[in-house]
Structure formats: structure tokens, C-alpha cells
Amino acid sequence: MTGFTGLDGWPCEFEQSPVGMALIAAVRGLPGADALSESEAVAEAKLLHFVSLAGQDDEMPRSRPASQKASENEIARLVELASSLADHIDTLRRPAVSALFGEGADVFTFAKQAREMAETARIAFSEIDVKTPPRGAPKKLEAAEVTYWAAFTYQKITRSPVTFTTTDTTHGAKISGEWPDFLAAVFKALRIDASVESQVRGLKLKARRKPL
């Protein structure tokens, strides 16, 4: 199994998948990309996809901070659910148990593990110590991380800095240029719902403090 699905619905390699083809096309559309071999273009696209997946993982609840109260509520809920699950398994009668065992589910071992989890969670409750509560809405880490790596890719292939043009319109200042266009194509390929303009501007501010 490759983990990718082609347009025909069958498993395929990265470069035959919709996301792979779109990312490779975005890389190939950059000035200077004609010097890349096919394998090099695929490698650049794969790296962008990997960064996207890593960013998604960083946005998962397990990677985000929480307040003391929220954390205590989460642990208390885990204790309740794990205990209830173990209790429910104990009420199962022979037909249900036989059917589950027939599918390879050792429910009684699972019930034991659920009770152990509940007990571990009870102990962990007293260990929660949030010194700095989070502020504001969760950050779009995937978009920011992909933007940073896309900028690195852009500079490496084009041998040019990430720059853009600002134009005043009746709706405010708008940005344009090869770099924003490349990032827009990458976001579209990865289905990232974030403002290209905000990410581009944010990267410019970051670059002033720490060059890419």
C-alpha cells in the first residue's frame, strides 16, 4: 500500500495522486525548475507534502496547550469513559462475547486495560500543572510551516528571494508576484484553508528577524 489514491480510486504512487500531481506542477511552474530532473521535482513536492502532514499533526488537540481547568475536565472525562467502558464489557453475555472473540477481540483483556487507564488517569489528575494558560485561537500551524518550507523551495529553485508586489485597491492593499502565486498553488494542492496574503506578509516579518 502506498497511502495515495489515484483519480481512478486505486492505490498509486505519490506522483500519480491528485495531491502529488498538483504539487509537482506547482514546483515545475517555478522559474528555474527546468533544471530539475523528474526525480528532483518529485522530491521537492514530497517534502512539501511531508511538511503539510507534520503541520496537521501539530494542530491536533494532543499538540495544543490548554488551561488548568480544561485539562482537569479532560482527565476527569477520560476516567469516566474508561470506567464506563470496562463496566459495560463486564455486562456482555455469551452471544456478544463469542461474536467479538470470533473477530479476534479479547474483550476481557481490553476491559482490564481500560480499568488500568482509568486508574492511571486518576493519578495523573493531580499531576496537571499549567503555569501559562493559552491565549487566543489555535494557530494555523500547518499553513505557517508549509509557507516557510515553500519559501525555502522557491528560493532554492528560482535563486531569488521571496518578494511580492503590493497594489492599492478600493478594497485595500493586495499582493501579487511569483512567490504568492506559487504559495497559492501549494495551498490549493494541499487543500489548506488559509489566507495566502496573511501567510506571505507574516513570513516577511519573520524574515526580518531570522533570514531563511
Side-chain angles (χ1 to χ4, degrees), residues 111-148:
K112 180 175 179 291
Q113 293 171 339
R115 284 204 169 81
E116 290 173 350
M117 172 58 75
E119 184 57 31
T120 299
R122 287 190 185 93
I123 297 171
F125 185 92
S126 62
E127 300 297 323
I128 298 174
D129 183 18
V130 178
K131 292 182 171 59
T132 306
R135 295 182 179 179
K139 296 180 180 179
K140 293 193 173 185
L141 298 176
E142 179 191 8
E145 290 168 18
V146 167
T147 297
Y148 191 85

Side-chain angles (χ1 to χ4, degrees), residues 47-60 63 139-153 179 182-183 186-187 190 192 194 199-200 202-203 206 212:
L47 282 172
L48 289 167
H49 184 253
F50 175 80
V51 171
S52 171
L53 294 178
Q56 290 174 29
D57 189 68
D58 288 340
E59 288 185 358
M60 293 288 287
S63 300
K139 296 180 180 179
K140 293 193 173 185
L141 298 176
E142 179 191 8
E145 290 168 18
V146 167
T147 297
Y148 191 85
W149 192 263
F152 178 81
T153 301
W179 155 235
F182 173 62
L183 185 61
V186 170
F187 276 13
L190 294 169
I192 295 177
Q199 292 298 324
V200 165
L203 180 72
K206 183 191 296 183
L212 288 166

Side-chain angles (χ1 to χ4, degrees), residues 27-28 30 32-42 44 156-157:
V27 170
R28 280 295 188 195
L30 289 173
D34 54 343
L36 297 176
S37 66
E38 187 60 30
S39 61
E40 288 173 332
V42 171
E44 295 294 345
K156 181 171 70 172
I157 294 175

Side-chain angles (χ1 to χ4, degrees), residues 46-119:
K46 280 185 174 179
L47 282 172
L48 289 167
H49 184 253
F50 175 80
V51 171
S52 171
L53 294 178
Q56 290 174 29
D57 189 68
D58 288 340
E59 288 185 358
M60 293 288 287
R62 62 173 175 260
S63 300
R64 299 204 307 263
S67 67
Q68 180 79 21
K69 184 61 177 176
S71 300
E72 290 175 349
N73 288 341
E74 289 169 0
I75 291 290
R77 181 62 172 156
L78 177 58
V79 171
E80 177 186 354
L81 290 172
S83 299
S84 295
L85 177 57
D87 290 342
H88 177 69
I89 290 175
D90 285 344
T91 68
L92 297 178
R93 289 177 285 189
R94 183 178 298 172
V97 171
S98 296
L100 288 165
F101 267 88
E103 293 299 319
D106 185 349
V107 289
F108 298 118
T109 297
F110 189 72
K112 180 175 179 291
Q113 293 171 339
R115 284 204 169 81
E116 290 173 350
M117 172 58 75
E119 184 57 31

